[in-house]
Amino acid sequence: MKHLNPIIALCTMLWACAYTAMSRTLYDETSSVVAKTHQQWMLQYGRSYTNDAEMEKRFKIFMENLEYIEKFNNAPGNKSYKLDLNQFSDLTNEEFIASHTGLMIDPSKPSSSSKRASPASLDLSDTPTSLDWREQGAVTDVKNQGNCGSCWAFSAVAAVEGIVKIKNGNLISLSEQQLVDCASNEQNQGCGGGFMDNAFSYITENGIASENDYQYRGGAGTCQNNEMITPAARISGYEDVPAGEDQLLLAVSQQPVSVAIAVGQSFHLYKEGIYSGPCGSSLNHGVTLVGYGTSEEDGTKYWLIKNSWGESWGENGYMRLLRESGQSEGHCGIAVKASHPTI
């Protein structure tokens, strides 16, 4: 067996030590930069932690999310959307979905007392090429469900706010908290999740209070006596939209529509653009479709979604989601479970 020249062996050992030291230095410098970024982020969003262990855990997740964001944004190739830090950047994707979605659909139970629009009535000839119900004054400000699985309530309320404005001329911010507290059954469980159709059924029977009269608390509470709360709005029922993007286009050309989507990885880090990225494997979040359009840059078609994660997420609380993706269910399943209230 040949022995290494002592000089070569020494050089090899010194190089290995130097490389290890250099790697450690680069890691420490990177960690230091990320730590400063994390501190600035904490100040921006008023974030604090209960102890050092929690701080260390959240910093690690923050660093992983930041790395994911930079890797995606800096990767070669044209992208239709961008990611960025936001108030959710110290949460894992799994934690975020568990605490900030909340759609519950029981496929074994048909929607109660709903009407279904007939596919035969489809006629897209009179629909505009683009539409934004915000421009018609039919959309209230973006709200925030917080750490409560009440997306279903926010989706339904935004749709009701829209049709009330269209039909009666008044835009009234309505109460999600009333639905969280009162619209409970085997499928609706307050912050534990629910379904928009069940919310519409409740509002059909009871009406719904204004946001001012029944304010959101971000947690389930005791239902306030209906005799103490005067309904600010009423609906006559609701309709389920037949599956398919053409049917969905026709529906949203008439009014804002509640839709179910599948939220997956990178969704909570979305910043801007037309989202064409990964989706979840099942419908788990309720949002409100308030329009559609086409990108002026490259002609990509999109749906305009009002979310309930606050204005600092996405495009001031909104997302543009890829339209006409070639999937029968629509991107992220947007064209599978849609419904809207009627007056």
Side-chain angles (χ1 to χ4, degrees):
M1 172 186 279
K2 287 186 177 181
H3 294 283
L4 286 174
N5 184 303
I7 296 177
I8 295 176
L10 178 61
C11 290
T12 301
M13 182 177 68
L14 290 174
W15 177 86
C17 292
Y19 179 79
T20 301
M22 181 176 66
S23 297
R24 187 181 298 113
T25 299
L26 289 174
Y27 177 80
D28 290 343
E29 289 178 353
T30 300
S31 297
S32 177
V33 171
V34 175
K36 290 180 181 178
T37 303
H38 185 225
Q39 289 292 332
Q40 294 170 350
W41 175 87
M42 289 175 64
L43 288 172
Q44 180 180 356
Y45 293 104
R47 198 81 161 90
S48 61
Y49 304 110
T50 55
N51 52 50
D52 290 343
E54 180 69 8
M55 175 76 168
E56 183 178 353
K57 175 184 177 181
R58 292 299 154 193
F59 173 68
K60 183 175 182 294
I61 295 170
F62 179 88
M63 187 160 52
E64 291 171 349
N65 278 329
L66 181 59
E67 181 181 3
Y68 181 87
I69 290 168
E70 292 182 342
K71 183 177 180 181
F72 174 83
N73 288 342
N74 295 326
N78 295 326
K79 302 179 184 68
S80 61
Y81 66 100
K82 292 183 179 180
L83 307 178
D84 203 353
L85 296 173
N86 57 30
Q87 70 268 41
F88 309 121
S89 296
D90 66 346
L91 299 176
T92 66
N93 186 58
E94 292 75 20
E95 287 175 329
F96 177 78
I97 289 174
S99 60
H100 288 80
T101 55
L103 181 70
M104 293 175 61
I105 298 176
D106 186 349
S108 67
K109 295 182 179 180
S111 302
S112 58
S113 67
S114 70
K115 297 179 181 179
R116 179 169 289 276
S118 170
S121 64
L122 180 63
D123 183 3
L124 300 177
S125 60
D126 293 330
T127 57
T129 56
S130 64
L131 177 69
D132 186 342
W133 282 110
R134 295 175 299 182
E135 297 175 354
Q136 309 301 319
V139 183
T140 59
D141 293 340
V142 169
K143 304 178 185 181
N144 195 338
Q145 69 186 79
N147 296 325
C148 172
S150 54
C151 63
W152 57 277
F154 283 83
S155 171
V157 161
V160 173
E161 290 169 344
I163 192 62
V164 168
K165 164 62 178 177
I166 293 167
K167 294 293 186 179
N168 300 335
N170 298 318
L171 181 65
I172 307 169
S173 183
L174 300 173
S175 174
E176 293 83 9
Q177 190 65 48
Q178 183 178 359
L179 296 177
V180 171
D181 291 349
C182 306
S184 299
N185 54 35
E186 65 275 12
Q187 285 181 274
N188 278 27
Q189 300 174 14
C191 286
F195 186 35
M196 289 80 79
D197 283 7
N198 294 324
F200 292 143
S201 291
Y202 172 86
I203 299 171
T204 300
E205 296 176 7
N206 302 279
I208 186 167
S210 69
E211 183 78 31
N212 286 336
D213 288 344
Y214 204 147
Q215 296 183 5
Y216 190 67
R217 297 188 302 273
T222 302
C223 179
Q224 296 187 31
N225 192 314
N226 287 337
E227 294 178 358
M228 299 172 60
I229 301 296
T230 302
R234 294 185 179 276
I235 60 174
S236 57
Y238 67 94
E239 291 183 351
D240 289 324
V241 180
E245 289 195 275
D246 284 348
Q247 294 287 344
L248 191 56
L249 183 71
L250 182 64
V252 78
S253 70
Q254 304 299 313
Q255 64 187 98
V257 176
S258 287
V259 292
I261 57 174
V263 170
Q265 187 181 18
S266 80
F267 222 90
H268 69 296
L269 300 173
Y270 165 79
K271 174 59 179 177
E272 62 185 8
I274 300 174
Y275 187 79
S276 57
C279 306
S281 58
S282 60
L283 300 174
N284 56 8
H285 188 48
V287 293
T288 313
L289 192 56
V290 296
Y292 57 88
T294 303
S295 168
E296 294 181 357
E297 290 81 10
D298 59 10
T300 301
K301 295 181 178 180
Y302 63 84
W303 297 110
L304 179 62
I305 287 172
K306 180 186 183 184
N307 207 344
S308 52
W309 295 340
E311 293 183 352
S312 59
W313 175 86
E315 296 181 332
N316 298 315
Y318 291 84
M319 169 184 267
R320 286 180 289 162
L321 184 74
L322 181 64
R323 179 164 61 99
E324 295 186 10
S325 63
Q327 306 169 64
S328 60
E329 67 274 16
H331 195 58
C332 296
I334 192 172
V336 175
K337 285 281 185 180
S339 56
H340 58 80
T342 58
I343 290 182

